[in-house]
Amino acid sequence: MPLSIDLHSHTRASDGSDTPTELIGHALQAGIDVLGLSDHDTTSGWAEASDAVAGSGMTLIRGIELSAQVIDNIPGAIPRSVHLLGYLPDPHNPRLQNETERIRRHRDDRLRLMVDRLAVDFDITWDEVAAHIPPGATPGRPHIAHILIEKGFFEDTTAAFAGPLRGDGPYHVPHYAPRLRDAIEVISDAGGVAVLAHPYTGERSGAVNHNAPIEQILAAYQVFVEAGLAGLEINHRENTEAGKEVLATVAREFDLIVTGSSDFHGAKKPNQLGENTTTPQQFERILERATGCEPLS
Ligand code: AMP
Ligand code: FE
Ligand code: FE
Ligand code: ZN
């Protein structure tokens, strides 16, 4: 049996529904051999996950999913949000700590503003939302979704995100995030391996304009590769099929690491552990490149 390697998952330290201990339990049940823990903008789930994985036979790759943004060099361009996975960075690296603290602080302000706007039309309060965000966790729109669902306004997270939580709607407030090039440098400086998460989920998504001719796409990616981008998460349920082909061409051109992952969020999303996986060969390349901390088992 080949190893089952799933390098992207979330806990209650960000917008997942499992505690780190529950996540490890679910991954063991799902037959995962190597699990990447990648909460948004925090390493606060690492300690509990490390304890839970000890002696289990499974390997834990400590990671993070850093919020970042890309702004096209055209007048009036609106920043696009992108996510950068960082594997095995040094959690004590000052630049990584400062940047994640800054993002979390701005996310907190932004979520309060969104609740203020929503409270005009929906009977919700900040105290209700805050009550189920654990200390140190990264606040996000799914925490508002939780209360909107609990109070009967929406059936599930998907419906809440299709409604008032959508990114182009009147209630939305953006939050600070570093430019992608800087985010790649933050991860690399901390000895981590930078892999672009779900890089091509649709028409106007991702770090570059994927509708451009391939030469332009490659030129755009070159900037990120030169900043230290090591890989692309190609096998992810939200990448389009056409997008995966473009991304495979980019990966070949720059000899990038190719990963596949579930992006498991527990009960909050349909993604199931192990639904996409990374080959042992590609996983080895991550281990060879990482210098920030060690895999744990
Ligand atoms: P935020 O980081 O606060 O902007 O919220 C985005 C997060 O919400 C992402 O990390 C996703 O995991 C989650 N999310 C986005 N869209 C959906 C959706 N349609 N259903 C469930 N979760 C979603
Ligand atoms: Fe998420
Ligand atoms: Fe993501
Ligand atoms: Zn994720």
Side-chain angles (χ1 to χ4, degrees), residues 8 10 38 40 65 83 85 198 263 265:
H8 188 162
H10 296 266
S38 53
H40 298 282
E65 185 174 14
H83 288 170
L85 293 159
H198 41 73
D263 203 355
H265 281 70

Side-chain angles (χ1 to χ4, degrees), residues 56-292:
S56 70
M58 193 169 74
T59 297
L60 177 69
I61 299 300
R62 290 170 289 175
I64 191 164
E65 185 174 14
L66 210 56
S67 303
Q69 58 182 356
V70 176
I71 309 174
D72 292 328
N73 192 17
I74 47 173
I78 297 167
R80 279 196 307 281
S81 157
V82 291
H83 288 170
L84 182 71
L85 293 159
Y87 294 117
L88 301 168
D90 172 5
H92 307 297
N93 177 276
R95 204 172 156 193
L96 179 62
Q97 279 195 344
N98 287 342
E99 200 58 52
T100 51
E101 271 169 29
R102 188 172 176 201
I103 298 169
R104 291 198 305 273
R105 203 166 57 241
H106 283 247
R107 276 177 161 284
D108 187 273
D109 287 347
R110 165 269 198 157
L111 218 63
R112 289 168 192 263
L113 284 167
M114 283 192 69
V115 171
D116 284 349
R117 291 187 182 184
L118 284 156
V120 175
D121 297 317
F122 301 89
D123 174 27
I124 63 168
T125 67
W126 172 249
D127 285 347
E128 289 167 342
V129 174
H132 73 105
I133 307 177
T138 301
R141 280 179 282 166
H143 294 113
I144 302 180
H146 183 93
I147 295 303
L148 288 171
I149 295 161
E150 198 171 272
K151 295 199 128 182
F153 293 111
F154 295 92
E155 193 67 25
D156 54 24
T157 313
T158 308
F161 267 86
L165 296 183
R166 69 182 187 278
D168 59 356
Y171 305 104
H172 191 260
V173 178
H175 64 81
Y176 164 80
R179 301 286 288 266
L180 178 58
R181 234 179 314 165
D182 296 327
I184 291 169
E185 279 182 21
V186 168
I187 295 295
S188 305
D189 279 3
V193 182
V195 173
L196 201 54
H198 41 73
Y200 188 171
T201 58
E203 282 296 300
R204 280 184 300 281
S205 75
V208 313
N209 174 9
H210 288 100
N211 294 319
I214 188 68
E215 300 76 37
Q216 282 179 35
I217 294 176
L218 292 173
Y221 268 105
Q222 180 147 11
V223 174
F224 300 124
V225 174
E226 281 168 5
L229 182 68
L232 298 176
E233 185 185 56
I234 298 186
N235 295 309
H236 182 290
R237 66 155 67 205
E238 286 170 31
N239 288 328
T240 66
E241 288 309 312
K244 288 178 187 174
E245 288 180 27
V246 175
L247 295 168
T249 304
V250 176
R252 264 196 308 277
E253 175 71 19
F254 298 110
D255 193 25
L256 295 173
I257 300 168
V258 171
T259 68
S261 338
S262 65
D263 203 355
F264 181 70
H265 281 70
K268 297 203 171 168
K269 277 184 153 187
N271 312 36
Q272 292 303 312
L273 283 159
E275 68 176 28
N276 281 297
T277 56
T278 298
T279 67
Q281 291 84 348
Q282 297 295 318
F283 175 56
E284 273 307 313
R285 297 178 66 190
I286 292 178
L287 295 183
E288 280 163 18
R289 195 164 164 137
T291 58

